Amino acid sequence: MKTNQPIMNEQSRGVFVIAATPFTDSGEVDLESIDSLTEFYLEKGVSGMTVLGMMGEAPKLSESETTLVMERFLKRVNGRVPVTVGVSSASNLRLERLSKEAMSLGAAGVMVAPISNLKLDEQVYGYFTTVANLLGKEIPICLQDFPQATGVHMSVNVINQLTDDFSQVVMLKHEDFPGMRKLSQIREQSKASNRRRISILVGNGGLFLPQEMLRGADGAMTGFAYPEMLVQVCDLFDAGKPKEAEDLFNIYLPLLRHEFQYGIGLALRKETLRRRGAIKSAFVRRPGPVLDAKDLDELSALISRLDFELA
Amino acid sequence: MKTNQPIMNEQSRGVFVIAATPFTDSGEVDLESIDSLTEFYLEKGVSGMTVLGMMGEAPKLSESETTLVMERFLKRVNGRVPVTVGVSSASNLRLERLSKEAMSLGAAGVMVAPISNLKLDEQVYGYFTTVANLLGKEIPICLQDFPQATGVHMSVNVINQLTDDFSQVVMLKHEDFPGMRKLSQIREQSKASNRRRISILVGNGGLFLPQEMLRGADGAMTGFAYPEMLVQVCDLFDAGKPKEAEDLFNIYLPLLRHEFQYGIGLALRKETLRRRGAIKSAFVRRPGPVLDAKDLDELSALISRLDFELA
Amino acid sequence: MKTNQPIMNEQSRGVFVIAATPFTDSGEVDLESIDSLTEFYLEKGVSGMTVLGMMGEAPKLSESETTLVMERFLKRVNGRVPVTVGVSSASNLRLERLSKEAMSLGAAGVMVAPISNLKLDEQVYGYFTTVANLLGKEIPICLQDFPQATGVHMSVNVINQLTDDFSQVVMLKHEDFPGMRKLSQIREQSKASNRRRISILVGNGGLFLPQEMLRGADGAMTGFAYPEMLVQVCDLFDAGKPKEAEDLFNIYLPLLRHEFQYGIGLALRKETLRRRGAIKSAFVRRPGPVLDAKDLDELSALISRLDFELA
Amino acid sequence: MKTNQPIMNEQSRGVFVIAATPFTDSGEVDLESIDSLTEFYLEKGVSGMTVLGMMGEAPKLSESETTLVMERFLKRVNGRVPVTVGVSSASNLRLERLSKEAMSLGAAGVMVAPISNLKLDEQVYGYFTTVANLLGKEIPICLQDFPQATGVHMSVNVINQLTDDFSQVVMLKHEDFPGMRKLSQIREQSKASNRRRISILVGNGGLFLPQEMLRGADGAMTGFAYPEMLVQVCDLFDAGKPKEAEDLFNIYLPLLRHEFQYGIGLALRKETLRRRGAIKSAFVRRPGPVLDAKDLDELSALISRLDFELA
């Protein structure tokens, strides 16, 4: 590990923005846009970044591209904020290698989603136990609980047990839907049994962020193309102004809801980031969603409306 | 059929509100609340009602309760608006009997969701062909396209073919998610081939109603507990005021998004209807969602905020 | 309950045949065939029967037909063997009423499959806890663990907990696939912790019956149309002759494997039962599988081959 | 392409055995076992091989291992039989590169399973259209129809359309379950419309091979650890001896059914191949199934029984 490398931990909070992976119009990795996107996110005030997540089109990168992208993000960030790297894989070997490579390049920790054929609590617990043991105590882990994409359901019990048994489990990306009660249960059971309190950052595009902050979330880990709003909402909550936070949130809600659409949401986000100057091309690798003229007009209308509200 | 019985058809538009089935606190069907709920909906200006849908807890009613509920709604409505009856069933015999009973009691048509093991276009087409033939030309059918609940995916081709082959198919409840492009495709392909234009009412709680109206929807069929907003939005679209429609919609969006949560959404809606005086108890039959103190407080906060915005 | 009513319990073993529900060619319930089918099963030596299971087309019966079918089977059996009644339902009220009705008519207990939206151990445990409390200590329960049909996965832990907490849980219908290790784990953990040993009867058409008997199964609960083989296999195991049991089993395996096909398996079984004189018509209610000429020829060939092997 | 490189085509028939990927006990690719396994398969008379399929643990190989494994198999086979390479990928770019690499190394064609989020006929057709266009007319394609693993259902219409539109689609790996009627429909509709007749090789471990040969299959593509039986069954069918073919098949059916178990089947096959001297270690990469003592004893018993039957 590097000196002064920021590390993800139980106190991590605020917005860990899920970074898109920028491509050129012909589908090559666009390194310069990685730089500009990084600066864009940092200017908006994010407290962390997550690269190579599902939204980062990680499964569509070759191994060398994976390294290239990770390296470039980490180099550009250069320790200014912690960077979490998505390392989910069908292969434990690859997961382990990628995690160690990430840490050696300056990552703050890794995010792991369960493989898709786990059906029972003990299978989910067993999977993460294996992963945690493979990675060791020095690599901080964020559990990704996203059943809509993985098909795997993580119970509060399993999350608690993993928290108890592995000090390197420091964060939960909470993305079950509906999942608000689960969030409350984790916080309540944790307090009741003097369990270590881990960081919980919410996903689902932030669709329920104000409600989730009140239930004990520490922030959001999501790729909404206006991360400055998420940042301000978190700041306002920290400042004890939940009402103002929700007022602000609701102004962006129409667009945020629009991006919430699975699949096409990725294309909408990349297009928005392109329009905002953060990346040069909105290209999504194939197979993947492609926006048509109607989609683009619809997005324009929603953005204009937001601009008008903010003006 | 009765004289002057309103009939669902291709011109049906506006808001067909999905009616909850009210129970007493001890779980019995509450006939008086059916009356008050009906009046509530009609006062809010709905152009139709849909009873015995999934939100109506139809699978949890006995056969005699099913008849009782349907009868009471239809009697109370008394022809003031068309009433669509959900008749989806694992048994074709039951589907047929229930449909005929509904029509004889004054229904405007029936809504049918596909059984859950249909995997291919031809299987979906085959299922609805059988159903349409069983019901005959006199019973108007609304196709319910709701893959999140049924597991069945309906293609534009299948919907088009059913429209072409069965004049009784007059409406689509559009509830695929994401589903906006599908909506546009149906409208475009229909126009391009001079196909009969059927009514399309959108579901998913109306989460994308303004966008969907612009893409060719004729209104909404959903159970949002503030149907007056949906009515006004549709009216504003009809009046050529899409901007104003969306302004209004966005005021309610935070609460609407909250109700959009699968499962618990039903309990939230019943509780809201209870608070608005439309029904006496928010009881949901078991197995079913139950709100806890946090859920109730959260709902209260969202409702207060809406009341404040509207004041 | 009746005097001398046979009751399902932890010692239940051998073959509880899953009874088809016979219809006439026009789809009406065929009461006389219920009688002949019952005599057929009893002649073949089954030690129990299960009526109104999935194979019994229970979801396609009206409420009055449900009562009629159950009543007729129970009356004809007349206490000669225990009869388990499938009571799975989307409604707890209906599940409770049907269970009590079944017991009052002479059933030996009820079989309950979980509703389909349970995802976590605690949800599955919670569901069956509610059911067990509703039914009380006097109604023996068979847990149906059939994830391929229900989408619900039951862990060994949940099965153990339910066994510990509810004395009325006396049987497991084991139908997970692959599920052999689970069977062994239940038996091993039960022994290790001095837990009450419940009856385990295997499903999946009996495809792995010899292996499962060696792992601790007490018999089979399945609808294979040659139940005499299953009976003899169980008897041979009881007589300490596992090799002979497997020899016999393997003779029928080609046909048994053929019936194992989901969906169409029901039609194949009814057709075979018809040919064997057990029922008058092989009619399956719609929607449901229909055999074509090729299917019928194929079945004939497999039956001829079996007859030849047995001759 | 190489001179005299055998190419997969519409006339391909017999047994294309799905090759395991052998590892050492410590999990490294075992090149020598690739050689011995290849010789084992060829001695058993297979008419083709399929490498890097799901059973080949392809998703658990790194990119360089993928190349290494493919190269070694192809080198060892050295044109003696056609070798199909599994190239399914979440990335079209990778699918294309891997396919071209495979062909340049001597592959006979590629096998492609659809990505997992395709729900409608037109989406499945669209996916394979893109793939076929990417690969061009010179790379023969085998469509893998395996909904139990991919979640994607392929209709007869889609398969027909792809056959009509792309001359490079020369083979179907038929693995839908139950899928016998589908197989008949493809053959019947093909004949009825003078469509090009493609090769159909069946999967599912060959569980229904005799029935499927009668319905028009050309052989099997599966990894059963006794491929000599599959070869002889196909030969007997070719020689006009279906009865003898089925007699032989049924002797192996108990073991074949045992291997048919999803997940653990792979471990059972590798262990059996190890015992037969084809590979040095039965190691399966993690995450993956591990046999316990009971599983091993059970397998031993089934193999002893088979040996006894064959003696």
Side-chain angles (χ1 to χ4, degrees):
Chain A
M1 286 214 273
K2 317 205 153 179
T3 345
N4 297 328
Q5 180 169 341
I7 290 298
M8 192 173 90
N9 61 31
E10 293 88 345
Q11 281 74 46
S12 294
R13 54 193 298 109
V15 177
F16 273 58
V17 73
I18 307 252
T21 297
F23 300 109
T24 63
D25 282 337
S26 57
E28 297 304 303
V29 170
D30 177 356
L31 294 175
E32 285 175 31
S33 283
I34 288 183
D35 292 344
S36 57
L37 182 62
T38 301
E39 295 306 326
F40 173 86
Y41 286 143
L42 290 172
E43 271 164 33
K44 302 308 180 198
V46 302
S47 48
M49 283 174 58
T50 302
V51 302
L52 297 176
M54 295 178 196
M55 187 191 145
E57 299 175 69
K60 288 185 268 177
L61 299 181
S62 71
E63 292 177 9
S64 57
E65 288 171 334
T66 300
T67 299
L68 192 69
V69 167
M70 180 165 65
E71 217 164 15
R72 186 73 170 219
F73 269 117
L74 286 163
K75 195 175 155 201
R76 185 71 188 199
V77 171
N78 194 25
R80 288 181 282 174
V81 296
V83 176
T84 302
V85 176
V87 296
S88 306
S89 172
S91 155
N92 286 356
L93 261 178
R94 177 161 161 72
L95 187 153
E96 182 185 352
R97 281 181 197 156
L98 190 53
S99 299
K100 291 181 174 166
E101 190 187 9
M103 295 309 290
S104 78
L105 290 169
V110 299
M111 180 162 71
V112 182
I115 55 168
S116 68
N117 62 345
L118 309 173
K119 300 300 179 189
L120 301 169
D121 278 18
E122 65 187 282
Q123 292 170 340
V124 179
Y125 177 78
Y127 178 73
F128 280 108
T129 292
T130 302
V131 166
N133 285 328
L134 273 179
L135 300 191
K137 298 226 159 293
E138 301 306 313
I139 304 184
I141 296 174
C142 171
L143 309 173
Q144 186 173 14
D145 180 17
F146 191 15
Q148 301 91 297
T150 61
V152 177
H153 296 266
M154 296 181 68
S155 69
V156 172
N157 280 341
V158 163
I159 295 166
N160 283 343
Q161 255 188 286
L162 291 168
T163 304
D164 288 348
D165 296 351
F166 299 99
S167 60
Q168 65 267 49
V169 170
V170 298
M171 189 185 278
L172 173 71
K173 179 171 184 197
H174 167 275
E175 204 155 5
D176 199 351
F177 176 72
M180 286 204 266
R181 189 172 295 174
K182 186 192 261 191
L183 208 167
S184 296
Q185 287 174 339
I186 296 173
R187 286 306 187 213
E188 284 157 14
Q189 295 182 18
S190 178
K191 191 175 265 180
S193 52
N194 269 320
R195 175 171 287 116
R196 186 168 50 98
R197 185 192 186 281
I198 61 172
S199 170
I200 301 182
L201 302 183
V202 302
N204 281 314
L207 192 64
F208 301 97
L209 182 58
Q211 284 69 37
E212 290 170 326
M213 291 301 285
L214 288 171
R215 283 172 180 265
D218 298 311
M221 187 188 280
T222 186
F224 181 49
Y226 289 80
E228 62 267 38
M229 179 275 278
L230 304 173
V231 168
Q232 290 168 267
V233 164
C234 290
D235 287 349
L236 285 165
F237 267 98
D238 280 354
K241 300 182 172 172
K243 205 207 145 295
E244 289 78 358
E246 196 165 352
D247 285 341
L248 179 68
F249 177 87
N250 285 345
I251 294 172
Y252 289 81
L253 181 54
L255 186 55
L256 188 149
R257 160 216 56 170
H258 194 68
E259 283 190 7
F260 173 67
Q261 298 176 83
Y262 296 122
I264 201 171
L266 167 62
L268 294 169
R269 284 176 176 174
K270 282 193 132 176
E271 173 62 15
T272 308
L273 290 170
R274 188 195 65 77
R275 295 187 185 188
R276 301 192 77 194
I279 57 179
K280 266 182 292 194
S281 162
F283 189 85
V284 174
R285 281 206 170 165
R286 314 290 187 249
V290 178
L291 303 180
D292 64 19
K294 233 178 205 102
D295 299 328
L296 290 168
D297 289 350
E298 194 172 58
L299 179 62
S300 300
L302 283 160
I303 291 176
S304 301
R305 175 173 276 275
L306 174 64
D307 290 342
F308 180 84
E309 295 283 334
L310 294 174
Chain B
M1 287 214 271
K2 315 207 152 176
T3 347
N4 298 327
Q5 180 169 342
I7 289 298
M8 194 172 88
N9 62 29
E10 293 88 346
Q11 281 74 45
S12 295
R13 53 192 298 109
V15 177
F16 273 57
V17 72
I18 307 253
T21 298
F23 299 110
T24 63
D25 282 335
S26 57
E28 297 305 302
V29 170
D30 177 356
L31 294 176
E32 285 176 30
S33 284
I34 290 183
D35 290 347
S36 57
L37 182 62
T38 302
E39 295 306 327
F40 172 87
Y41 287 143
L42 291 172
E43 272 163 30
K44 303 308 180 197
V46 302
S47 48
M49 282 173 60
T50 302
V51 302
L52 298 175
M54 294 177 196
M55 187 193 144
E57 299 175 69
K60 289 186 266 177
L61 299 181
S62 71
E63 293 177 8
S64 57
E65 288 172 334
T66 300
T67 298
L68 193 69
V69 167
M70 177 166 67
E71 216 164 15
R72 186 74 168 218
F73 269 116
L74 286 163
K75 196 174 155 201
R76 186 71 187 199
V77 171
N78 195 24
R80 289 181 281 174
V81 297
V83 176
T84 302
V85 176
V87 297
S88 307
S89 172
S91 155
N92 285 356
L93 260 179
R94 175 160 163 74
L95 189 153
E96 182 184 353
R97 281 180 197 156
L98 190 54
S99 300
K100 290 182 175 167
E101 189 188 8
M103 295 309 289
S104 78
L105 289 169
V110 299
M111 179 161 72
V112 182
I115 55 168
S116 68
N117 62 345
L118 309 173
K119 301 298 180 191
L120 302 168
D121 278 19
E122 65 187 282
Q123 292 170 339
V124 179
Y125 177 77
Y127 177 74
F128 280 109
T129 293
T130 303
V131 165
N133 285 329
L134 272 179
L135 300 191
K137 298 224 160 296
E138 302 306 314
I139 304 185
I141 295 174
C142 171
L143 308 173
Q144 187 173 14
D145 180 16
F146 191 15
Q148 302 91 294
T150 62
V152 177
H153 296 267
M154 297 181 67
S155 70
V156 172
N157 280 343
V158 163
I159 295 166
N160 283 343
Q161 254 188 287
L162 291 169
T163 304
D164 288 348
D165 296 352
F166 299 98
S167 61
Q168 65 266 51
V169 171
V170 297
M171 188 185 281
L172 172 71
K173 178 169 184 199
H174 167 275
E175 204 155 4
D176 201 349
F177 175 71
M180 286 204 267
R181 188 171 296 170
K182 186 191 261 189
L183 207 167
S184 295
Q185 286 174 340
I186 296 172
R187 286 304 187 217
E188 284 157 14
Q189 294 182 19
S190 178
K191 192 175 263 179
S193 52
N194 268 322
R195 175 170 289 117
R196 183 168 52 96
R197 184 194 188 280
I198 61 172
S199 170
I200 301 182
L201 303 184
V202 301
N204 281 314
L207 193 64
F208 302 97
L209 182 57
Q211 284 69 36
E212 290 170 328
M213 292 300 287
L214 288 171
R215 283 172 179 267
D218 298 311
M221 187 188 281
T222 186
F224 182 47
Y226 289 79
E228 62 267 39
M229 179 275 280
L230 305 174
V231 168
Q232 289 169 270
V233 165
C234 290
D235 287 350
L236 286 163
F237 268 98
D238 280 356
K241 300 181 173 174
K243 204 208 145 295
E244 289 79 356
E246 197 165 350
D247 285 341
L248 180 66
F249 175 87
N250 285 346
I251 294 171
Y252 289 80
L253 181 53
L255 187 56
L256 188 149
R257 160 216 55 169
H258 194 68
E259 283 190 6
F260 173 68
Q261 298 176 83
Y262 295 122
I264 200 171
L266 167 61
L268 293 169
R269 285 175 176 172
K270 283 193 131 175
E271 173 63 16
T272 309
L273 290 170
R274 187 194 66 76
R275 295 187 186 189
R276 302 192 77 194
I279 56 179
K280 266 181 292 192
S281 162
F283 189 86
V284 173
R285 280 204 172 167
R286 313 294 186 246
V290 178
L291 303 180
D292 64 19
K294 236 180 201 98
D295 299 329
L296 290 168
D297 287 351
E298 194 172 60
L299 180 61
S300 299
L302 284 160
I303 291 177
S304 300
R305 177 173 274 275
L306 175 63
D307 289 342
F308 180 83
E309 295 283 335
L310 294 174
Chain C
M1 289 214 270
K2 314 204 153 180
T3 345
N4 299 326
Q5 181 169 339
I7 289 298
M8 193 173 90
N9 60 31
E10 292 87 346
Q11 281 74 45
S12 295
R13 52 192 298 110
V15 178
F16 273 58
V17 72
I18 306 253
T21 298
F23 300 109
T24 64
D25 282 335
S26 58
E28 297 304 303
V29 170
D30 177 356
L31 294 176
E32 286 176 29
S33 283
I34 288 183
D35 291 345
S36 57
L37 181 63
T38 301
E39 295 305 326
F40 173 87
Y41 286 144
L42 290 172
E43 271 164 31
K44 302 308 180 197
V46 302
S47 48
M49 283 173 59
T50 302
V51 302
L52 298 176
M54 294 178 196
M55 187 192 145
E57 299 174 70
K60 289 185 265 175
L61 299 181
S62 71
E63 292 177 8
S64 57
E65 287 171 334
T66 300
T67 298
L68 192 69
V69 166
M70 177 166 66
E71 214 165 17
R72 186 72 170 220
F73 269 118
L74 285 164
K75 195 175 155 198
R76 186 70 187 201
V77 171
N78 194 24
R80 288 180 283 174
V81 296
V83 177
T84 302
V85 176
V87 297
S88 308
S89 172
S91 155
N92 286 356
L93 260 179
R94 175 159 163 75
L95 188 155
E96 182 184 353
R97 280 181 197 155
L98 190 53
S99 298
K100 291 181 174 167
E101 188 186 9
M103 295 309 290
S104 77
L105 289 168
V110 299
M111 180 161 72
V112 182
I115 54 166
S116 68
N117 62 346
L118 309 173
K119 299 300 179 190
L120 302 169
D121 279 19
E122 64 186 283
Q123 292 170 339
V124 178
Y125 176 78
Y127 178 73
F128 280 109
T129 293
T130 303
V131 166
N133 285 328
L134 271 180
L135 300 190
K137 298 225 160 295
E138 301 306 314
I139 303 185
I141 295 173
C142 171
L143 309 173
Q144 186 171 15
D145 179 16
F146 190 16
Q148 303 90 295
T150 61
V152 177
H153 296 268
M154 295 180 68
S155 70
V156 172
N157 280 342
V158 163
I159 295 167
N160 284 343
Q161 255 187 287
L162 291 169
T163 304
D164 289 347
D165 296 352
F166 298 100
S167 61
Q168 64 268 50
V169 170
V170 297
M171 188 184 279
L172 173 70
K173 178 171 187 199
H174 167 274
E175 204 154 5
D176 199 350
F177 175 73
M180 287 204 266
R181 187 170 295 172
K182 187 192 260 190
L183 208 168
S184 296
Q185 286 173 340
I186 296 172
R187 286 306 188 214
E188 285 156 14
Q189 294 182 19
S190 177
K191 193 176 263 178
S193 52
N194 270 321
R195 176 171 287 116
R196 187 166 51 97
R197 184 193 188 280
I198 61 172
S199 171
I200 302 182
L201 303 183
V202 301
N204 280 314
L207 192 64
F208 301 97
L209 182 58
Q211 284 69 36
E212 290 169 327
M213 291 302 283
L214 289 170
R215 283 173 180 265
D218 298 311
M221 187 189 279
T222 185
F224 182 48
Y226 289 79
E228 62 268 38
M229 179 275 277
L230 304 174
V231 168
Q232 289 168 268
V233 165
C234 289
D235 287 350
L236 285 164
F237 267 98
D238 281 355
K241 300 182 171 173
K243 204 207 143 299
E244 290 79 356
E246 196 165 352
D247 285 342
L248 179 67
F249 177 87
N250 285 345
I251 295 171
Y252 289 82
L253 181 53
L255 187 55
L256 188 150
R257 161 216 53 170
H258 194 66
E259 283 189 6
F260 173 69
Q261 297 176 86
Y262 296 121
I264 200 170
L266 167 63
L268 293 168
R269 285 176 175 173
K270 283 192 130 175
E271 172 62 16
T272 308
L273 290 170
R274 188 194 65 76
R275 293 185 186 190
R276 300 193 77 195
I279 56 178
K280 268 182 292 195
S281 161
F283 189 86
V284 173
R285 280 205 171 165
R286 310 295 185 249
V290 178
L291 304 179
D292 65 19
K294 235 179 204 101
D295 299 328
L296 290 167
D297 288 351
E298 195 173 57
L299 179 62
S300 299
L302 283 161
I303 291 176
S304 299
R305 176 173 274 274
L306 174 64
D307 289 343
F308 179 83
E309 294 284 335
L310 294 174
Chain D
M1 287 215 273
K2 314 204 152 178
T3 347
N4 297 327
Q5 180 170 341
I7 289 298
M8 195 174 86
N9 61 29
E10 293 87 345
Q11 282 73 45
S12 296
R13 52 192 298 109
V15 177
F16 273 57
V17 72
I18 307 252
T21 297
F23 299 110
T24 63
D25 282 335
S26 57
E28 297 305 303
V29 170
D30 177 357
L31 294 175
E32 287 176 29
S33 283
I34 289 182
D35 291 345
S36 56
L37 182 63
T38 300
E39 294 306 325
F40 172 86
Y41 287 143
L42 290 172
E43 272 164 32
K44 303 307 181 198
V46 302
S47 48
M49 281 172 60
T50 302
V51 303
L52 297 177
M54 292 177 198
M55 187 191 144
E57 300 175 68
K60 289 184 268 177
L61 299 181
S62 71
E63 291 176 10
S64 57
E65 288 172 333
T66 300
T67 298
L68 192 70
V69 167
M70 179 165 67
E71 216 165 14
R72 186 74 170 219
F73 269 117
L74 286 163
K75 195 175 156 198
R76 185 72 188 200
V77 171
N78 194 23
R80 289 181 281 175
V81 297
V83 176
T84 302
V85 176
V87 296
S88 307
S89 173
S91 154
N92 285 356
L93 260 179
R94 176 160 162 73
L95 189 153
E96 182 184 354
R97 282 181 196 156
L98 189 54
S99 300
K100 290 181 174 167
E101 188 187 10
M103 295 310 289
S104 79
L105 290 169
V110 299
M111 179 161 72
V112 183
I115 54 166
S116 68
N117 62 345
L118 309 172
K119 300 300 179 190
L120 301 169
D121 278 20
E122 65 187 282
Q123 291 170 339
V124 179
Y125 176 78
Y127 177 74
F128 280 108
T129 293
T130 302
V131 166
N133 285 330
L134 272 180
L135 300 191
K137 297 226 161 295
E138 301 307 314
I139 304 185
I141 295 174
C142 170
L143 309 173
Q144 185 172 14
D145 179 16
F146 190 15
Q148 300 92 295
T150 60
V152 176
H153 296 267
M154 297 180 66
S155 71
V156 172
N157 280 343
V158 163
I159 295 165
N160 284 343
Q161 254 187 288
L162 291 168
T163 305
D164 289 349
D165 296 352
F166 299 99
S167 62
Q168 64 267 52
V169 171
V170 298
M171 188 185 281
L172 173 70
K173 177 168 187 201
H174 167 274
E175 204 155 3
D176 200 350
F177 175 71
M180 287 206 264
R181 187 170 297 170
K182 185 192 262 189
L183 206 167
S184 296
Q185 286 174 340
I186 296 172
R187 287 305 187 215
E188 285 157 14
Q189 293 182 19
S190 177
K191 192 175 263 179
S193 51
N194 269 323
R195 176 172 285 119
R196 184 168 52 98
R197 185 193 188 279
I198 62 172
S199 171
I200 302 183
L201 303 184
V202 301
N204 280 314
L207 193 64
F208 301 98
L209 181 58
Q211 285 69 37
E212 290 170 327
M213 291 301 286
L214 289 170
R215 284 173 179 266
D218 297 312
M221 186 187 281
T222 185
F224 182 48
Y226 289 79
E228 62 268 38
M229 180 275 279
L230 305 173
V231 169
Q232 289 168 269
V233 164
C234 289
D235 287 350
L236 285 164
F237 267 98
D238 280 354
K241 298 181 172 173
K243 204 207 144 299
E244 289 79 356
E246 197 166 351
D247 285 341
L248 180 67
F249 176 87
N250 285 346
I251 294 171
Y252 289 81
L253 181 54
L255 187 55
L256 188 148
R257 159 217 54 169
H258 194 67
E259 283 189 8
F260 172 67
Q261 298 176 83
Y262 296 121
I264 200 169
L266 167 62
L268 294 168
R269 284 175 177 174
K270 283 193 130 175
E271 173 63 16
T272 307
L273 290 169
R274 188 195 64 78
R275 295 186 185 189
R276 301 192 77 194
I279 57 179
K280 268 183 291 195
S281 162
F283 190 86
V284 174
R285 279 205 172 166
R286 313 291 187 249
V290 178
L291 303 180
D292 64 19
K294 231 174 205 107
D295 299 328
L296 290 168
D297 288 350
E298 193 173 60
L299 179 62
S300 299
L302 284 159
I303 291 176
S304 300
R305 177 173 275 275
L306 175 63
D307 289 342
F308 179 85
E309 295 283 335
L310 294 174

